[in-house]
Amino acid sequence: MKKILVMLMTISILFITCSSEVSAKEKSVIRVYNWGEYISNGDDDTLDVIGEFEKRFPEYKVEYTTYANNEEMYAKIMSGSAKYDIIIPSDYMISKMMQENMLAKLDYNNIPNYKYIDESFKNLEFDPKNEYSVPYTWGTVGIIYNTKKVTEPVDSWDILWDEKYKKQILMFDNPRDSYGIAMKRLGFSQNSTKTEEYDQATISLEEQKSVLQAYVNDQIFAKMTNGEAALAPYYAGDALTMIADNPDLAFAVPKEGTNRFVDSMVVLKNAQNKVGAEKFINFMLEPDIALANIEYIGYSTPMSNVRDMLADDIKNSSVSYPSKEILANCETFLNLPENINTYMQEKWIQVKAAGENNIGAIIQLIVTILIMAVLVVLLLIRKRRNRQ
């Protein structure tokens, strides 16, 4: 009798194990590639959005990975080293990927919650027919500053060149944002296609180096909240996060104008689970989910019903939701012609190399040049394949 019981238990365990394996294999995988810290993840009693999706739709499993900037995301996808279904790029990168036939047209029958997107965020310049993208967040670029160190009005990009704050100023460590600021300071469009204007901006950025403490990306959070720097350009949503950690910080949009960015959800043309991807996008537009994400991220929402659900100090914040006058003076980045984009990249290398003579800077330059060369080769290969 004992042997029979043991045999039955063994068979039961095997059955349960096999059933679990089958169940796991039957789940439909959705691969999401997003910016870091760009979705509510359950920290500090926030909603775990990915977990909530898998709970509401148990037939799906989400594989979620992150990137630091548009260029890193683009390079990884071009390399073919990993496959994704959904990515969340910025405006100009969406335009670029559309032109390179990398994105799939969306089936809005699978995204009924698209009705919640405000009309002002539909048919934008980077996706004029509204075929490929669903806005996720938006915001402006401005100057975050420490009011204990900077007591004068902060209303111009000029202050990021002011000798008075030498070694107290930080700057973006990427060419598009840095040139965007320099171009606005000089009175040019951030989407200029004139090389002579990039030449003038290059001179301006080289002049700025003498007052800079460092070029930064996410390092800005520690430096500004710890009081290690006085001034830096950055994104409004992240500025609010830093201000929450250090009340001495403030944010201003310069009078010369600035960049208004829109980050949107798109599906890659070679997505292995397009229907699942569209279901995930629709889920991200459910008001309670969109609210959880906006409260966690701190960026601005393109959904007025979600803005109405925010706390009064946020939905009425001039940082998150600037006046019409400020927005009228903003530009959205467009995808630059390839020759202009390459020209700007080359000039940026010149800026970063100016005045440098240490081995670290030289190595960094060589790595940057190699990455650019690989990207050019990958792009040429892709174009050749598309022609075939």
Side-chain angles (χ1 to χ4, degrees), residues 245-310:
D245 292 335
N246 183 348
D248 292 335
L249 299 177
F251 183 82
V253 175
K255 60 189 177 188
E256 296 93 343
T258 189
N259 167 235
R260 186 191 81 157
F261 59 87
V262 179
D263 293 340
S264 300
M265 296 176 279
V266 299
V267 177
L268 288 165
K269 191 164 188 177
N270 62 358
Q272 296 174 348
N273 193 350
K274 183 170 184 287
V275 172
E278 290 169 341
K279 195 174 193 72
F280 184 83
I281 291 174
N282 190 59
F283 173 77
M284 294 282 272
L285 298 181
E286 289 185 11
D288 61 325
I289 300 302
L291 177 65
N293 282 328
I294 289 299
E295 287 181 332
Y296 181 86
I297 298 168
Y299 279 57
S300 309
T301 175
M303 303 164 65
S304 56
N305 60 335
V306 172
R307 180 181 174 182
D308 291 340
M309 296 162 69
L310 292 167

